[in-house]
PDB file of all heavy atoms in Angstrom:
ATOM      1  N   GLU R 100     159.938  73.810   4.057  1.00 96.00           N
ATOM      2  CA  GLU R 100     160.607  73.580   5.339  1.00 96.00           C
ATOM      3  C   GLU R 100     161.960  74.273   5.299  1.00 96.00           C
ATOM      4  O   GLU R 100     162.768  73.993   4.416  1.00 96.00           O
ATOM      5  CB  GLU R 100     160.811  72.085   5.598  1.00 96.00           C
ATOM      6  CG  GLU R 100     159.537  71.309   5.790  1.00 96.00           C
ATOM      7  CD  GLU R 100     159.790  69.822   6.016  1.00 96.00           C
ATOM      8  OE1 GLU R 100     160.963  69.390   6.045  1.00 96.00           O
ATOM      9  OE2 GLU R 100     158.803  69.092   6.176  1.00 96.00           O
ATOM     10  N   ILE R 101     162.204  75.149   6.261  1.00 96.00           N
ATOM     11  CA  ILE R 101     163.486  75.843   6.368  1.00 96.00           C
ATOM     12  C   ILE R 101     164.104  75.411   7.685  1.00 96.00           C
ATOM     13  O   ILE R 101     163.589  75.741   8.753  1.00 96.00           O
ATOM     14  CB  ILE R 101     163.300  77.378   6.317  1.00 96.00           C
ATOM     15  CG1 ILE R 101     162.575  77.780   5.023  1.00 96.00           C
ATOM     16  CG2 ILE R 101     164.646  78.078   6.419  1.00 96.00           C
ATOM     17  CD1 ILE R 101     162.216  79.245   4.929  1.00 96.00           C
ATOM     18  N   VAL R 102     165.199  74.654   7.620  1.00 95.00           N
ATOM     19  CA  VAL R 102     165.816  74.112   8.832  1.00 95.00           C
ATOM     20  C   VAL R 102     166.825  75.108   9.401  1.00 95.00           C
ATOM     21  O   VAL R 102     167.146  76.118   8.787  1.00 95.00           O
ATOM     22  CB  VAL R 102     166.469  72.731   8.587  1.00 95.00           C
ATOM     23  CG1 VAL R 102     165.455  71.746   8.040  1.00 95.00           C
ATOM     24  CG2 VAL R 102     167.653  72.827   7.667  1.00 95.00           C
ATOM     25  N   SER R 103     167.337  74.818  10.584  1.00 95.00           N
ATOM     26  CA  SER R 103     168.182  75.760  11.325  1.00 95.00           C
ATOM     27  C   SER R 103     169.462  76.150  10.594  1.00 95.00           C
ATOM     28  O   SER R 103     169.982  77.236  10.800  1.00 95.00           O
ATOM     29  CB  SER R 103     168.526  75.191  12.704  1.00 95.00           C
ATOM     30  OG  SER R 103     169.231  73.976  12.559  1.00 95.00           O
ATOM     31  N   SER R 104     169.984  75.310   9.712  1.00 96.00           N
ATOM     32  CA  SER R 104     171.231  75.613   8.996  1.00 96.00           C
ATOM     33  C   SER R 104     170.994  76.416   7.717  1.00 96.00           C
ATOM     34  O   SER R 104     171.947  76.784   7.033  1.00 96.00           O
ATOM     35  CB  SER R 104     171.958  74.306   8.646  1.00 96.00           C
ATOM     36  OG  SER R 104     171.126  73.483   7.837  1.00 96.00           O
ATOM     37  N   ALA R 105     169.743  76.728   7.388  1.00 97.00           N
ATOM     38  CA  ALA R 105     169.399  77.356   6.108  1.00 97.00           C
ATOM     39  C   ALA R 105     169.562  78.867   6.113  1.00 97.00           C
ATOM     40  O   ALA R 105     169.399  79.531   7.138  1.00 97.00           O
ATOM     41  CB  ALA R 105     167.960  77.007   5.751  1.00 97.00           C
ATOM     42  N   THR R 106     169.869  79.390   4.906  1.00 97.00           N
ATOM     43  CA  THR R 106     169.915  80.830   4.658  1.00 97.00           C
ATOM     44  C   THR R 106     169.124  81.100   3.392  1.00 97.00           C
ATOM     45  O   THR R 106     169.405  80.501   2.349  1.00 97.00           O
ATOM     46  CB  THR R 106     171.366  81.328   4.470  1.00 97.00           C
ATOM     47  OG1 THR R 106     172.117  81.018   5.637  1.00 97.00           O
ATOM     48  CG2 THR R 106     171.408  82.826   4.226  1.00 97.00           C
ATOM     49  N   VAL R 107     168.135  81.984   3.481  1.00 97.00           N
ATOM     50  CA  VAL R 107     167.290  82.327   2.342  1.00 97.00           C
ATOM     51  C   VAL R 107     167.347  83.828   2.131  1.00 97.00           C
ATOM     52  O   VAL R 107     167.114  84.603   3.053  1.00 97.00           O
ATOM     53  CB  VAL R 107     165.826  81.879   2.581  1.00 97.00           C
ATOM     54  CG1 VAL R 107     164.924  82.341   1.449  1.00 97.00           C
ATOM     55  CG2 VAL R 107     165.743  80.376   2.755  1.00 97.00           C
ATOM     56  N   LYS R 108     167.651  84.242   0.868  1.00 97.00           N
ATOM     57  CA  LYS R 108     167.625  85.652   0.495  1.00 97.00           C
ATOM     58  C   LYS R 108     166.732  85.780  -0.717  1.00 97.00           C
ATOM     59  O   LYS R 108     167.086  85.335  -1.805  1.00 97.00           O
ATOM     60  CB  LYS R 108     169.027  86.160   0.156  1.00 97.00           C
ATOM     61  CG  LYS R 108     169.950  86.252   1.335  1.00 97.00           C
ATOM     62  CD  LYS R 108     171.301  86.796   0.933  1.00 97.00           C
ATOM     63  CE  LYS R 108     172.227  86.839   2.135  1.00 97.00           C
ATOM     64  NZ  LYS R 108     173.564  87.304   1.770  1.00 97.00           N
ATOM     65  N   GLY R 109     165.552  86.352  -0.513  1.00 96.00           N
ATOM     66  CA  GLY R 109     164.603  86.519  -1.605  1.00 96.00           C
ATOM     67  C   GLY R 109     163.185  86.365  -1.113  1.00 96.00           C
ATOM     68  O   GLY R 109     162.940  85.930   0.010  1.00 96.00           O
ATOM     69  N   ASN R 110     162.248  86.715  -1.952  1.00 95.00           N
ATOM     70  CA  ASN R 110     160.840  86.623  -1.587  1.00 95.00           C
ATOM     71  C   ASN R 110     160.368  85.175  -1.643  1.00 95.00           C
ATOM     72  O   ASN R 110     160.786  84.408  -2.497  1.00 95.00           O
ATOM     73  CB  ASN R 110     159.988  87.493  -2.509  1.00 95.00           C
ATOM     74  CG  ASN R 110     160.278  88.966  -2.288  1.00 95.00           C
ATOM     75  OD1 ASN R 110     160.601  89.383  -1.182  1.00 95.00           O
ATOM     76  ND2 ASN R 110     160.167  89.750  -3.336  1.00 95.00           N
ATOM     77  N   VAL R 111     159.488  84.831  -0.698  1.00 95.00           N
ATOM     78  CA  VAL R 111     158.984  83.475  -0.556  1.00 95.00           C
ATOM     79  C   VAL R 111     157.473  83.488  -0.751  1.00 95.00           C
ATOM     80  O   VAL R 111     156.773  84.307  -0.150  1.00 95.00           O
ATOM     81  CB  VAL R 111     159.333  82.910   0.848  1.00 95.00           C
ATOM     82  CG1 VAL R 111     158.701  81.553   1.058  1.00 95.00           C
ATOM     83  CG2 VAL R 111     160.839  82.860   1.055  1.00 95.00           C
ATOM     84  N   PHE R 112     156.984  82.568  -1.584  1.00 94.00           N
ATOM     85  CA  PHE R 112     155.549  82.370  -1.785  1.00 94.00           C
ATOM     86  C   PHE R 112     155.267  80.925  -1.397  1.00 94.00           C
ATOM     87  O   PHE R 112     155.871  80.005  -1.946  1.00 94.00           O
ATOM     88  CB  PHE R 112     155.165  82.627  -3.244  1.00 94.00           C
ATOM     89  CG  PHE R 112     155.417  84.044  -3.669  1.00 94.00           C
ATOM     90  CD1 PHE R 112     156.658  84.425  -4.164  1.00 94.00           C
ATOM     91  CD2 PHE R 112     154.417  84.992  -3.562  1.00 94.00           C
ATOM     92  CE1 PHE R 112     156.905  85.737  -4.547  1.00 94.00           C
ATOM     93  CE2 PHE R 112     154.653  86.316  -3.946  1.00 94.00           C
ATOM     94  CZ  PHE R 112     155.903  86.684  -4.440  1.00 94.00           C
ATOM     95  N   LYS R 113     154.369  80.717  -0.439  1.00 93.00           N
ATOM     96  CA  LYS R 113     154.144  79.376   0.123  1.00 93.00           C
ATOM     97  C   LYS R 113     152.684  79.188   0.493  1.00 93.00           C
ATOM     98  O   LYS R 113     151.927  80.140   0.617  1.00 93.00           O
ATOM     99  CB  LYS R 113     155.031  79.153   1.344  1.00 93.00           C
ATOM    100  CG  LYS R 113     154.920  80.230   2.456  1.00 93.00           C
ATOM    101  CD  LYS R 113     153.596  80.265   3.091  1.00 93.00           C
ATOM    102  CE  LYS R 113     153.411  81.350   4.113  1.00 93.00           C
ATOM    103  NZ  LYS R 113     152.009  81.454   4.503  1.00 93.00           N
TER     104      LYS R 113
END
Side-chain angles (χ1 to χ4, degrees):
E100 294 179 1
I101 303 174
V102 303
S103 60
S104 59
T106 301
V107 175
K108 291 182 182 177
N110 293 328
V111 175
F112 297 87
K113 54 65 184 170

